[in-house]
Amino acid sequence: MQVALHFGAPYTDENRLQLCLGKNRDQLAERGIVIPRPSSYRKSLRPVLNRFKDGTGDDDLRLEFLQSVVGDQKAERIVFSNDTFLGVPRMSVAEDLFFPGPFNRLESFFRLFDGAEIELFYAIRNPATFLQGLIQAHPGEDLDTLLGHSDPVNLRWSHFMERIQQDFPQIKLTVWCNEDTPLIWDDILREVAGVDGSYPLTGSFDLAEEIMSEKGFSRFKEFLKARPGMTPEQTKRVVMAFLDKFAEQDALEEEVDFPGWTADHVDHLSEQYDADVQTIQNMPNINFIMP
């Protein structure tokens, strides 16, 4: 059995992946790909993981959890999605690291699905906008305490990936930039679901629709309808062309208003982020989805 876990980062997904794959739930189930409803596992998963962490988890608990998630379906692949899997966002930054400390929940997840082929999926985000999202979600809190006394300049997603690979060297890890998501949404859906480019998926253009003008998206649909049989690469180029022309500017550009920062601070963090992305792309055993 295969298990796909999309586990972050906070402030990137907002349940879009789960909702979009949910539109394809019935047809994917025919291929043994189970997209469980969040209500079937999000509340129950944590206590189950705690049992496997403290050593009281066993085969009976494993079977009981799987039954609650899968039911009577034939499961060759199960997809879980929770962008706060590692913990609440307010604990996501400390000691100049993203999610410092041991990855106990991941370790327990692997114990729960012992013997399964597990794949991890993670979206990274510019630290400048990530930290702004953290601050906006916790108004009035002391900034230094909220950031765990970290210097934003020292934050690197590549360090986070290195730690995961050190702890779980055999794991399959797929990564992408949240900023690129509208351009690569179809690729992300297919990677997580485990289907190739020929498999029809509903919702492949949901994110493009979110940031494209109504007029532009209408023209986009007409363009695709008039050209059936385009390859995935051709379709991606069409998406990029229409977004370039019809994307709403406010949806593409996120203004950073971080206390005490100037435009130079934001530019510096963004340049570091670009370099960090290059580092991750060059790391071994990482599948990086790019436009």
Side-chain angles (χ1 to χ4, degrees), residues 205 217-230 234-235 238 242:
F205 308 116
F217 191 71
S218 178
R219 289 187 179 181
F220 170 72
K221 290 191 296 183
E222 291 174 1
F223 187 93
L224 292 184
K225 186 176 181 180
R227 294 162 179 82
M230 286 197 304
Q234 290 171 329
T235 303
V238 171
F242 271 82

Side-chain angles (χ1 to χ4, degrees), residues 203-223:
S204 293
F205 308 116
D206 283 4
L207 266 68
E209 182 178 10
E210 284 186 18
I211 64 175
M212 205 181 295
S213 69
E214 184 176 347
K215 177 181 178 181
F217 191 71
S218 178
R219 289 187 179 181
F220 170 72
K221 290 191 296 183
E222 291 174 1
F223 187 93

